[in-house]
Amino acid sequence: MADSIVNRQSNPTDKTSYKSTWTQRAWFASGCTTILISLAKSMLMLAAATPTSPRTFLQLTLAAFLGYLLADLASGIYHWAVDNYGSPMTPVFGSQIESFRAHHQHPSAITKSDTAVLSYMVAGVVTVIVLPINILSRDPVFLWFVGVSAGCGLFSLKLHAWAHTPKRKLPSVVAALQDSGIILRWSQHKAHHRPPFKSDFCTVSGIWNKILDESNIFSAIEVMLFRVFGVRPRSWSEPNSDWKLAESDFVGSNPDLD
Ligand SMILES: [Zn+2]
Ligand SMILES: [Zn+2]
């Protein structure tokens, strides 16, 4: 499940590689179906139960909010990890590492890709992890939490892509969600593409960015990993690295985005 994101972002002039393959579409559909099963099973279990109380709706609302928060936090931790550690040769994650790094040189390339190209790897992970939960769980609130969290996670790269898209090109509902702060917008993400490239890693809503950045938690973990394993994060090598924007890609300074 790893190929064209790397090719596409390493070679942003290759327009054909922005198009999804049938395999990528199948994984994307599988992930979406898995999430829909979580949500549908939750609703069906509640419908079959004794009359639902306001307490149940409160639990579902809270579960959805926690799932949304967890997805944003997870997107930040994952983004920080692949930006800073490993290489394109790293098993399993190599293509993702290459892709995230290429995104720093060609940020606008992410806006040109089919959703399935962006999301098929996360969709595969969602399918493998969430499908057994769907089968085994008998807790409708937990299934609702899993469905919302997995859904936000599956679309985290699409939300990231929308944050890089000029507002006039966005569907109006997406622009409204960005304006309301429910999903990531450029103003919450732009610092990630500017020196020292150490902040604003979260890509669902960006809610966790301020907490993670002001607590310096990632910096503390980087120091700990260096002391224990002797591994340096890539952000320490700035400015002699490939974090910088390629001259052909000026989206990082495009005022049209916000
Ligand atoms: Zn990044
Ligand atoms: Zn970005």
Side-chain angles (χ1 to χ4, degrees):
M1 297 194 338
D3 49 3
S4 63
I5 293 180
V6 176
N7 298 334
R8 168 178 49 79
Q9 294 197 335
S10 298
N11 181 14
T13 59
D14 179 8
K15 292 183 172 56
T16 59
S17 57
Y18 297 119
K19 294 293 177 192
S20 54
T21 64
W22 281 107
T23 304
Q24 291 167 338
R25 284 174 222 163
W27 277 114
F28 178 63
S30 169
C32 291
T33 304
T34 302
I35 290 163
L36 288 175
I37 291 172
S38 301
L39 300 175
K41 184 176 178 181
S42 171
M43 289 295 99
L44 288 172
M45 289 178 73
L46 286 172
T50 50
T52 49
S53 64
R55 187 163 173 255
T56 305
F57 288 107
L58 189 64
Q59 288 176 326
L60 290 176
T61 303
L62 186 61
F65 185 60
L66 290 176
Y68 163 76
L69 289 179
L70 177 65
D72 189 52
L73 177 62
S75 75
I77 294 171
Y78 184 73
H79 188 170
W80 162 77
V82 295
D83 265 7
N84 282 287
Y85 296 100
S87 75
M89 306 306 291
T90 300
V92 182
F93 297 101
S95 68
Q96 285 273 287
I97 291 167
E98 176 78 4
S99 173
F100 273 76
R101 294 179 184 180
H103 173 61
H104 279 266
Q105 291 183 302
H106 302 285
S108 65
I110 195 173
T111 68
K112 299 169 186 170
S113 296
D114 287 352
T115 303
V117 174
L118 296 173
S119 304
Y120 77 102
M121 287 195 75
V122 180
V125 172
V126 164
T127 302
V128 170
I129 294 176
V130 176
L131 207 50
I133 295 174
N134 287 344
I135 295 168
L136 298 172
S137 177
R138 303 292 302 165
D139 183 337
V141 175
F142 179 65
L143 283 167
W144 192 254
F145 164 78
V146 170
V148 171
S149 186
C152 292
L154 194 154
F155 285 95
S156 62
L157 278 167
K158 184 64 181 179
L159 297 172
H160 185 177
W162 278 333
H164 280 276
T165 304
K167 189 164 278 187
R168 62 188 156 75
K169 293 184 178 178
L170 289 172
S172 55
V173 65
V174 173
L177 288 170
Q178 287 188 349
D179 288 344
S180 64
I182 294 173
I183 62 173
L184 188 74
R185 57 184 290 176
W186 176 240
S187 62
Q188 294 167 307
H189 182 61
K190 61 184 177 186
H192 181 71
H193 288 277
R194 293 171 184 170
F197 307 105
K198 290 182 176 181
S199 69
D200 301 274
F201 288 97
C202 300
T203 59
V204 173
S205 63
I207 287 173
W208 283 94
N209 281 334
K210 189 175 173 62
I211 299 167
L212 294 172
D213 296 339
E214 290 187 354
S215 67
N216 287 317
I217 184 73
F218 288 141
S219 295
I221 296 172
E222 288 166 1
V223 170
M224 184 193 75
L225 292 175
F226 177 68
R227 287 181 179 164
V228 175
F229 300 107
V231 181
R232 299 171 67 89
R234 287 176 67 250
S235 60
W236 289 7
S237 65
E238 179 55 29
N240 300 316
S241 71
D242 55 357
W243 292 85
K244 291 181 177 177
L245 201 67
E247 287 189 11
S248 61
D249 200 320
F250 293 103
V251 72
S253 58
N254 187 347
D256 192 29
L257 288 172
D258 218 12

